[in-house]
Amino acid sequence: MSLEEARNRASRYGEVVGLISRVTPISHGKDNNEIRAEIPYEVYLKRKFLIGSYVGISIPVSGTLMLGRITSVERADILAISRIPALSPVEDTSAITTPLSLTIELLSEKVEGEVVPPSSPVDPQSPIFVPNTEFIKEMLGLPPDGITVGKLVEGYKLLDVPVNLTGEALRHHVLVVGTTGAGKTNLLRLLITRSNIPVLAFDIQGDYVRTMATIGGTVLVPVTREMGRVTDFISLFLRRSNLQDYKIASVDGQRVTLTNGERTFYVELMGFRLRETYREIPDVSPIFSGQGAYFFKMIAENCLTEIDNWIEECNPLFSEFHVHQTTAENIRRSVIMLQETGILDIPLEGGYLGEPDYEDLVRRKAIVDLRWVMEKGVSTATTTAFLVVDRIFRLIDSRYKNEGVETPYLLVFDEAHEYFPQSRRDEEKEGLERLINRILRLGRVRGIGAVLATHRPTDLNDLILTLTNTKIAMRADEDALEKIGMEEYAKILQASPPGYAVMRTFSLKVQDLVFRTDKYQ
């Protein structure tokens, strides 16, 4: 292919603006994927070339097309180019009519209709062009479907190119990292509201309550024994959520319908029964030792009673099962701590507060508002969350095993380091990592995807970093970015505006993608 043919080919995908450098050797390979190009001065005057802008390259000899991204720009006076020393600082406007030099990072190559990593030699004088949006989409491998989270960015300029998270990407799990104010909550709201599959988000601070009210979803509220009357609690809930314009439309047991005349959403109070959760509690709570968890389950199975009566009524079974004194002390201490959480065996109108209908829950969008159990401590909130996750997993797992069907479902964990910390005790770490494996590795096969957001990835269990195949980095410090292997973006992201993000994912034709999130309305 001649240079003229290469130029004609480039013009089909955008506007030709310059050439690959004639004066610098053009080399790229495993350890270096950057090349040099020049833009004529008259073109530079008419067009903006920003760091981060996409450019196309039409290669004459191989006949292929490449996509690149500008990583640096350089301007030089004619004296600098000709290496003539200036004897005195004299102004000469004609001396700056020199080409704009670009350093371009090679991203992908189109070979025989297939987009692959760049491998062909880049010939000197190869035409470079400003690509149209369709070429950019194709060469980046941007999917046309999925949840739209924002638009592609070059420099500070938004392109009319949507960035989508596909169902496949979500099923392989997403980790969002960013400091306070970087835009994590906004991104999670977009995912929750725009998802076309059911979602359950775990909310420690009440950030997503209004979101659920707006879309007519369900707010599950695990409560403690201090709850009081249902109507009094709902009044408190509305005040704390800044939703005083909503009123109670109906109360059906522990499910309350709320409306403001234009919108309706649902609040469902929930609690747990010890006799229905004694098998799961030791597995999702860090308070039991390994031996303590084993014997607690064995004793509880033979002593079905309420949490307040457990020690007194189940004590005779300790000697019957030959429980060692140290283990018995761990069990009694753990039961007392469970009593103090207040989440078990909560009286309600002559009975006890129960759990939601999980069959119904996996068909809709909901959040778990953990603010009230959070007042009892982080471990109480995370134990509550994991009990809910365990119920959902068992339901979806049963469908998978008995009917051979997957259940598309999305779990969202904001402040993920609170749920999945880097544990210090080996025993506690093993239990947590078994739980992570269940949710992320086994859940993925059954249709469950997870989105986890944190501003402290250094406090996050390392297994989360391994099992989340898509990382989204927003404004964060260098330590946080280093933890997720994206420290090269530290300078860009440390001063970036809210919503500015870099996505690293297996689901694209390129390793990294710079975008800006839409603003949740």
Side-chain angles (χ1 to χ4, degrees), residues 36 76 78 122 205 268 291 318 350 412 464 469:
R36 298 277 289 181
I78 190 67
V122 179
Q205 298 177 337
E268 191 160 347
Q291 286 287 315
F318 282 80
V412 177
I464 294 290
N469 288 333

PDB file of all heavy atoms in Angstrom, residues 36 76 78 122 205 268 291 318 350 412 464 469:
ATOM      1  N   ARG A  36       6.380   8.522  18.110  1.00  0.00           N
ATOM      2  CA  ARG A  36       6.342   9.975  17.926  1.00  0.00           C
ATOM      3  C   ARG A  36       5.637  10.328  16.622  1.00  0.00           C
ATOM      4  O   ARG A  36       5.705   9.586  15.628  1.00  0.00           O
ATOM      5  CB  ARG A  36       7.759  10.539  17.891  1.00  0.00           C
ATOM      6  CG  ARG A  36       8.542  10.327  19.173  1.00  0.00           C
ATOM      7  CD  ARG A  36       8.237  11.357  20.209  1.00  0.00           C
ATOM      8  NE  ARG A  36       8.794  12.666  19.860  1.00  0.00           N
ATOM      9  CZ  ARG A  36       8.674  13.730  20.627  1.00  0.00           C
ATOM     10  NH1 ARG A  36       8.011  13.658  21.766  1.00  0.00           N
ATOM     11  NH2 ARG A  36       9.207  14.883  20.244  1.00  0.00           N
ATOM     12  N   ALA A  76       8.507  23.331  20.094  1.00  0.00           N
ATOM     13  CA  ALA A  76       9.899  23.790  20.111  1.00  0.00           C
ATOM     14  C   ALA A  76      10.067  24.958  19.147  1.00  0.00           C
ATOM     15  O   ALA A  76       9.524  24.952  18.045  1.00  0.00           O
ATOM     16  CB  ALA A  76      10.838  22.651  19.735  1.00  0.00           C
ATOM     17  N   ILE A  78      12.139  27.297  16.490  1.00  0.00           N
ATOM     18  CA  ILE A  78      12.993  26.913  15.372  1.00  0.00           C
ATOM     19  C   ILE A  78      14.460  26.844  15.791  1.00  0.00           C
ATOM     20  O   ILE A  78      15.247  26.037  15.285  1.00  0.00           O
ATOM     21  CB  ILE A  78      12.804  27.884  14.171  1.00  0.00           C
ATOM     22  CG1 ILE A  78      13.512  27.334  12.933  1.00  0.00           C
ATOM     23  CG2 ILE A  78      13.300  29.273  14.528  1.00  0.00           C
ATOM     24  CD1 ILE A  78      12.913  26.084  12.387  1.00  0.00           C
ATOM     25  N   VAL A 122       5.256   0.295  12.802  1.00  0.00           N
ATOM     26  CA  VAL A 122       4.641   1.558  12.398  1.00  0.00           C
ATOM     27  C   VAL A 122       5.616   2.283  11.490  1.00  0.00           C
ATOM     28  O   VAL A 122       6.725   2.630  11.912  1.00  0.00           O
ATOM     29  CB  VAL A 122       4.282   2.421  13.622  1.00  0.00           C
ATOM     30  CG1 VAL A 122       3.672   3.743  13.186  1.00  0.00           C
ATOM     31  CG2 VAL A 122       3.317   1.672  14.531  1.00  0.00           C
ATOM     32  N   GLN A 205     -24.681   4.104  55.644  1.00  0.00           N
ATOM     33  CA  GLN A 205     -24.889   5.501  56.017  1.00  0.00           C
ATOM     34  C   GLN A 205     -26.229   6.069  55.567  1.00  0.00           C
ATOM     35  O   GLN A 205     -26.505   7.243  55.806  1.00  0.00           O
ATOM     36  CB  GLN A 205     -23.762   6.342  55.421  1.00  0.00           C
ATOM     37  CG  GLN A 205     -22.393   5.956  55.943  1.00  0.00           C
ATOM     38  CD  GLN A 205     -21.269   6.740  55.283  1.00  0.00           C
ATOM     39  OE1 GLN A 205     -21.418   7.251  54.179  1.00  0.00           O
ATOM     40  NE2 GLN A 205     -20.155   6.833  55.956  1.00  0.00           N
ATOM     41  N   GLU A 268     -39.522  -2.394  54.765  1.00  0.00           N
ATOM     42  CA  GLU A 268     -39.800  -3.678  55.401  1.00  0.00           C
ATOM     43  C   GLU A 268     -38.850  -3.866  56.576  1.00  0.00           C
ATOM     44  O   GLU A 268     -37.632  -3.959  56.406  1.00  0.00           O
ATOM     45  CB  GLU A 268     -39.641  -4.815  54.383  1.00  0.00           C
ATOM     46  CG  GLU A 268     -40.164  -6.126  54.918  1.00  0.00           C
ATOM     47  CD  GLU A 268     -40.472  -7.117  53.804  1.00  0.00           C
ATOM     48  OE1 GLU A 268     -40.508  -6.716  52.630  1.00  0.00           O
ATOM     49  OE2 GLU A 268     -40.686  -8.303  54.136  1.00  0.00           O
ATOM     50  N   GLN A 291     -13.698 -24.074  67.390  1.00  0.00           N
ATOM     51  CA  GLN A 291     -14.320 -25.093  68.241  1.00  0.00           C
ATOM     52  C   GLN A 291     -15.656 -24.599  68.788  1.00  0.00           C
ATOM     53  O   GLN A 291     -16.629 -25.344  68.861  1.00  0.00           O
ATOM     54  CB  GLN A 291     -13.384 -25.456  69.393  1.00  0.00           C
ATOM     55  CG  GLN A 291     -12.195 -26.306  68.996  1.00  0.00           C
ATOM     56  CD  GLN A 291     -12.596 -27.739  68.699  1.00  0.00           C
ATOM     57  OE1 GLN A 291     -13.352 -28.360  69.435  1.00  0.00           O
ATOM     58  NE2 GLN A 291     -12.098 -28.252  67.579  1.00  0.00           N
ATOM     59  N   PHE A 318     -23.694 -28.801  77.674  1.00  0.00           N
ATOM     60  CA  PHE A 318     -22.243 -28.631  77.581  1.00  0.00           C
ATOM     61  C   PHE A 318     -21.525 -29.877  78.102  1.00  0.00           C
ATOM     62  O   PHE A 318     -20.584 -30.360  77.474  1.00  0.00           O
ATOM     63  CB  PHE A 318     -21.789 -27.400  78.372  1.00  0.00           C
ATOM     64  CG  PHE A 318     -22.033 -26.097  77.663  1.00  0.00           C
ATOM     65  CD1 PHE A 318     -23.285 -25.501  77.658  1.00  0.00           C
ATOM     66  CD2 PHE A 318     -21.004 -25.463  76.975  1.00  0.00           C
ATOM     67  CE1 PHE A 318     -23.511 -24.313  77.002  1.00  0.00           C
ATOM     68  CE2 PHE A 318     -21.222 -24.258  76.321  1.00  0.00           C
ATOM     69  CZ  PHE A 318     -22.487 -23.680  76.328  1.00  0.00           C
ATOM     70  N   GLY A 350     -47.095  -9.949  69.789  1.00  0.00           N
ATOM     71  CA  GLY A 350     -47.365 -11.305  70.246  1.00  0.00           C
ATOM     72  C   GLY A 350     -46.502 -12.364  69.604  1.00  0.00           C
ATOM     73  O   GLY A 350     -46.578 -13.536  69.968  1.00  0.00           O
ATOM     74  N   VAL A 412     -24.407  -4.963  45.858  1.00  0.00           N
ATOM     75  CA  VAL A 412     -23.604  -3.743  45.914  1.00  0.00           C
ATOM     76  C   VAL A 412     -23.195  -3.492  47.362  1.00  0.00           C
ATOM     77  O   VAL A 412     -24.051  -3.411  48.243  1.00  0.00           O
ATOM     78  CB  VAL A 412     -24.381  -2.531  45.364  1.00  0.00           C
ATOM     79  CG1 VAL A 412     -23.552  -1.257  45.507  1.00  0.00           C
ATOM     80  CG2 VAL A 412     -24.774  -2.749  43.907  1.00  0.00           C
ATOM     81  N   ILE A 464     -10.443 -10.056  47.699  1.00  0.00           N
ATOM     82  CA  ILE A 464     -11.349  -9.187  46.940  1.00  0.00           C
ATOM     83  C   ILE A 464     -10.629  -8.613  45.724  1.00  0.00           C
ATOM     84  O   ILE A 464     -11.182  -8.550  44.618  1.00  0.00           O
ATOM     85  CB  ILE A 464     -11.877  -8.041  47.833  1.00  0.00           C
ATOM     86  CG1 ILE A 464     -12.769  -8.578  48.952  1.00  0.00           C
ATOM     87  CG2 ILE A 464     -12.623  -6.999  46.999  1.00  0.00           C
ATOM     88  CD1 ILE A 464     -14.098  -9.125  48.489  1.00  0.00           C
ATOM     89  N   ASN A 469     -12.549  -8.540  38.663  1.00  0.00           N
ATOM     90  CA  ASN A 469     -11.822  -8.479  37.396  1.00  0.00           C
ATOM     91  C   ASN A 469     -11.929  -7.129  36.698  1.00  0.00           C
ATOM     92  O   ASN A 469     -11.291  -6.921  35.667  1.00  0.00           O
ATOM     93  CB  ASN A 469     -12.312  -9.589  36.464  1.00  0.00           C
ATOM     94  CG  ASN A 469     -11.835 -10.955  36.934  1.00  0.00           C
ATOM     95  OD1 ASN A 469     -10.812 -11.066  37.594  1.00  0.00           O
ATOM     96  ND2 ASN A 469     -12.581 -11.990  36.616  1.00  0.00           N
TER      97      ASN A 469
END
